[in-house]
Amino acid sequence: KASPKFEIYFYKKIIEEDMDLLIQSDYNVTIEVFLKFLEDAIIISRSNSQNSKPNDFSYIWRQYISDSQFQSRNLLDILIDKLIYVCIQVLSKKPEEFEAVIEKLIQKEWHVFLRIAFHLAWKFNKVDIIEKILINKNYFEEICVWNDYTILLKNHFESLQLPNQELILKWIEDGPDKVKYEKYQKHNGQEIDEEEFQKYSDNWKHQKIAVFHEKLPDKWKNFYLLLAEKYGIMEHHEFH
């Protein structure tokens, strides 16, 4: 795992002391530096057996990218916090740079940078960009960015254009990809069972709807209540 050569407390202190000076000197270079620091730390922290881009497993070690309810526990946490700080400071003063900054993050390809882009779109209430994120089916289906996607979904579903609301609900109605499910079962040496797939499908739909059921039309609220009665209330916590 990536770690500094001295105590994490002092590493964090050194970065914080020079952060604002770096931003004032050249904000583009500062963003690039922290993008590189974080990417290098991710690469160093991975074992040779782990998958390549975009899978950094950050959804495991950083449940919510905006989670500020803990002190930075390791080098990865510090670099995420500081990259977010740099981006917010720059974009607060230069909002015209928003799309360029988002593009820099997305080009890194790792999930953690995409999650930071989601957070910035929420933080600065970039409605057009949020709409594009929410109607991207790859993001909707990707478990590795789901927690951060849900913050946007819960807070902005009602403001989506009606056809885009209907698109997301259609994805839920269609259910999970059965081909992927069967492939996963075969890979793990398990038999394909229709009854088990139906349970999996119901739970998948339950998880998706639980995030924003308060925002849904009555038909979908009733469907959620049926699933909740069958499988229990699914708790969903979010951080900003």
Side-chain angles (χ1 to χ4, degrees), residues 141 174-182 197 200 204:
E141 292 181 334
D174 290 345
D177 189 323
K178 191 173 182 180
V179 173
K180 286 183 180 178
Y181 172 82
E182 291 177 347
F197 176 72
Y200 169 78
W204 183 92

Side-chain angles (χ1 to χ4, degrees), residues 139-159:
Y139 298 160
F140 173 81
E141 292 181 334
E142 179 55 69
I143 188 174
C144 298
V145 302
W146 175 248
N147 285 340
D148 304 278
Y149 179 96
T150 60
I151 293 174
L152 300 180
L153 185 61
K154 181 172 182 177
N155 289 285
H156 288 273
F157 179 79
E158 287 180 306
S159 65

Side-chain angles (χ1 to χ4, degrees), residues 112-162:
V112 69
F113 294 102
L114 183 60
R115 298 173 64 204
I116 292 171
F118 287 8
H119 174 62
L120 293 174
W122 174 82
K123 182 78 175 176
F124 289 92
N125 196 32
K126 293 292 183 179
V127 176
D128 291 346
I129 292 176
I130 289 171
E131 186 138 7
K132 289 178 183 177
I133 291 169
L134 291 177
I135 62 172
N136 184 315
K137 194 174 184 183
N138 290 330
Y139 298 160
F140 173 81
E141 292 181 334
E142 179 55 69
I143 188 174
C144 298
V145 302
W146 175 248
N147 285 340
D148 304 278
Y149 179 96
T150 60
I151 293 174
L152 300 180
L153 185 61
K154 181 172 182 177
N155 289 285
H156 288 273
F157 179 79
E158 287 180 306
S159 65
L160 295 178
Q161 298 178 50
L162 183 58

Side-chain angles (χ1 to χ4, degrees), residues 8-9 14-15 20 30 35 44 76 89 123 151 155 163 172 216 227:
I8 200 79
Y9 169 82
I14 290 169
I15 291 179
D20 291 331
T30 306
L35 285 170
I44 292 168
L76 285 169
Q89 293 304 304
K123 182 78 175 176
I151 293 174
N155 289 285
I172 296 173
L216 296 175
L227 291 175

Side-chain angles (χ1 to χ4, degrees), residues 203-220:
N203 273 294
W204 183 92
K205 292 177 181 180
H206 188 197
Q207 180 197 46
K208 301 294 186 188
I209 298 172
V211 173
F212 65 125
H213 65 91
E214 304 99 329
K215 318 286 184 179
L216 296 175
D218 288 343
K219 169 191 168 184
W220 283 93

Side-chain angles (χ1 to χ4, degrees), residues 177-209:
D177 189 323
K178 191 173 182 180
V179 173
K180 286 183 180 178
Y181 172 82
E182 291 177 347
K183 184 178 179 181
Y184 176 82
Q185 292 293 93
K186 287 178 181 177
H187 177 75
N188 288 282
Q190 299 177 12
E191 294 184 3
I192 309 301
D193 185 291
E194 285 298 322
E195 185 176 344
E196 283 302 312
F197 176 72
Q198 187 58 52
K199 288 180 182 178
Y200 169 78
S201 179
D202 284 349
N203 273 294
W204 183 92
K205 292 177 181 180
H206 188 197
Q207 180 197 46
K208 301 294 186 188
I209 298 172

